Amino acid sequence: MEVSLVRALQEVRNKGGARLYVLYGCADAFAIRWLENELAANIASGESLIVRRHYPEDRLADALGEAFTGSLFGDAQIVSVRDIECLTTTFKGKMTDEETRALQWLVDEMPAHPVILCCKGEKLDERKKIVKALLGLAYTRAIPGHKHSPEDLRSIVRDQMKTKLKLTKSQEEYLLAQVGSSLDRLTGEMQKILTFAGERSAITDTELQGLVAHDEQSDVFAVIRLIMTGKAAQAYELYRAQSASESVFGFMALLSRQYRLIAQVQDPVNGQLPDAKLASLCGAHPFAVKVARDQARGLPLVECMNSLVELADLEFSIKSGQMSEQTAMDMFFLRRMRGA
């Protein structure tokens, strides 16, 4: 039976859910994580174990076998297998007999615990007998991860809020118009809105439009100028418009350089030097020193030093895998927007 993601989640919460989920057209990581977490939260027998496997790196037989026999880590309560493109029409190869036999297990016997089969292809290949058989099972839910009705998207927005912050209907419509069908972007925007709002119960339309920016061309140096002059919301809008084509580490390096230069012009000793000499000392153009002196009027030395430490910490978090590039930069901007 084909159902929407929202309906599948409602079924999990109200009735415990099905045993087999085929999530297709799923380019967003959020959809599968949400389904995994909701299933885990609704399994009553203690702490849930989610076993995640990736096809074809992991053999399908080994992955699905864990749904019936458990894993090396214990009794597997949820088995989630990603990138099973052989189920879709985009797969140009031939499904092997071994893969067909592995999928046949799910047809012959209902798994003891939920199984999620996830693929990015936007259409399941029902010309294959095994795919048709899987979809015909009473305990199967086929979920189109790329199709969400406007009402489903609004439901997702309200579900993710779970705070006293309420968006107006027009603000919801604006948000949904900007993110399109991407659940990853929708949830990312929601996290930023909640972080910015803090304990507030509402935000203005202007604030929302500053957070959820239109796509447009911009100049990285204009972004930096806006940050240094305290216009964080405008800076964030411009950064979002051009971040896809910019190196995050290059951008962080430019930010750090500007903060260091502003700190230098406020130094009790170096700050007394003529622009040309200080520029030579810092490896900058004299005009850049002049600009830094102007920016220093609204940017205390302690704030520059704290920002340099923050950027270093964010870079370490990205390179060590603790945080994604997008999340790191989102947090950088939001901290300044909240303090504006």
Side-chain angles (χ1 to χ4, degrees):
M1 177 173 65
E2 181 167 296
V3 298
S4 69
L5 177 63
V6 169
R7 183 176 172 186
L9 294 170
Q10 289 171 342
E11 184 184 30
V12 171
R13 293 168 182 171
N14 297 331
K15 301 178 181 179
R19 290 297 175 84
L20 175 60
Y21 293 89
V22 182
L23 185 58
Y24 66 97
C26 188
D28 290 314
F30 173 77
I32 187 170
R33 288 200 305 268
W34 196 9
L35 180 58
E36 289 171 350
N37 292 338
E38 288 291 340
L39 285 168
N42 281 275
I43 291 178
S45 56
E47 185 177 354
S48 302
L49 172 65
I50 302 175
V51 178
R52 297 181 176 89
R53 296 290 181 260
H54 292 265
Y55 172 91
E57 290 82 3
D58 297 303
R59 292 176 64 247
L60 203 52
D62 293 342
L64 296 181
E66 293 176 304
F68 297 95
T69 62
S71 72
L72 294 175
F73 304 100
D75 186 24
Q77 293 180 306
I78 299 170
V79 173
S80 179
V81 191
R82 305 190 185 195
D83 300 328
I84 311 184
E85 300 309 312
C86 60
L87 299 177
T88 70
T89 57
T90 58
F91 183 72
K92 301 304 180 184
K94 184 178 180 181
M95 191 181 295
T96 66
D97 291 341
E98 181 183 15
E99 291 163 345
T100 302
R101 286 195 297 270
L103 291 169
Q104 187 67 39
W105 295 345
L106 298 172
V107 177
D108 294 339
E109 180 182 353
M110 183 174 71
H113 307 293
V115 174
I116 304 172
L117 305 180
C118 183
C119 44
K120 296 176 182 176
E122 296 186 356
K123 187 176 181 181
L124 295 172
D125 192 354
E126 296 190 49
R127 295 170 300 178
K128 296 174 181 175
K129 292 182 179 179
I130 189 61
V131 175
K132 193 170 184 179
L134 288 170
L135 297 178
L137 298 170
Y139 49 85
T140 294
R141 300 292 181 269
I143 303 172
H146 58 306
K147 296 178 181 179
H148 310 287
S149 70
E151 187 53 44
D152 281 346
L153 290 172
R154 282 191 287 271
S155 176
I156 291 171
V157 169
R158 293 162 191 167
D159 185 274
Q160 292 299 297
M161 282 286 190
K162 294 180 179 177
T163 68
K164 66 180 182 180
L165 174 66
K166 302 295 181 184
L167 297 181
T168 66
K169 185 175 180 180
S170 63
Q171 287 176 335
E172 283 185 354
E173 295 299 330
Y174 175 83
L175 171 63
L176 296 178
Q178 301 310 311
V179 302
S181 62
S182 172
L183 291 187
D184 273 354
R185 186 177 175 197
L186 175 59
T187 53
E189 299 294 355
M190 287 300 305
Q191 290 172 0
K192 287 184 291 180
I193 292 169
L194 292 172
T195 301
F196 175 73
E199 295 299 314
R200 295 162 58 188
S201 60
I203 60 174
T204 67
D205 291 348
T206 300
E207 289 171 331
L208 180 67
Q209 291 167 15
L211 286 166
V212 186
H214 292 282
D215 291 329
E216 58 184 65
Q217 295 299 317
S218 64
D219 182 352
V220 66
F221 294 103
V223 175
I224 293 173
R225 286 195 294 272
L226 288 168
I227 292 171
M228 300 305 163
T229 53
K231 300 175 182 176
Q234 294 179 46
Y236 188 55
E237 182 175 356
L238 292 177
Y239 176 78
R240 282 294 306 274
Q242 54 93 62
S243 59
S245 61
E246 294 291 338
S247 163
V248 67
F249 296 112
F251 179 67
M252 293 172 79
L254 289 172
L255 275 172
S256 296
R257 185 180 71 175
Q258 192 64 18
Y259 278 124
R260 282 194 295 269
L261 186 56
I262 294 173
Q264 287 285 358
V265 302
Q266 296 185 78
D267 182 85
V269 177
N270 292 338
Q272 303 304 313
L273 297 173
D275 288 356
K277 192 165 184 178
L278 182 55
S280 178
L281 178 67
C282 298
H285 192 279
F287 179 76
V289 174
K290 182 179 184 299
V291 171
R293 290 194 192 279
D294 290 337
Q295 294 173 346
R297 296 191 181 98
L299 198 61
L301 176 60
V302 65
E303 187 173 336
C304 289
M305 302 308 295
N306 289 340
S307 295
L308 286 169
V309 172
E310 177 187 2
L311 286 166
D313 289 341
L314 288 174
E315 183 174 358
F316 176 81
S317 295
I318 295 170
K319 291 182 176 178
S320 62
Q322 299 174 41
M323 192 179 295
S324 70
E325 295 181 5
Q326 180 178 332
T327 299
M329 295 316 301
D330 285 345
M331 297 308 297
F332 173 85
F333 281 99
L334 286 171
R335 286 166 185 158
R336 283 149 185 80
M337 292 165 72
R338 287 188 68 178

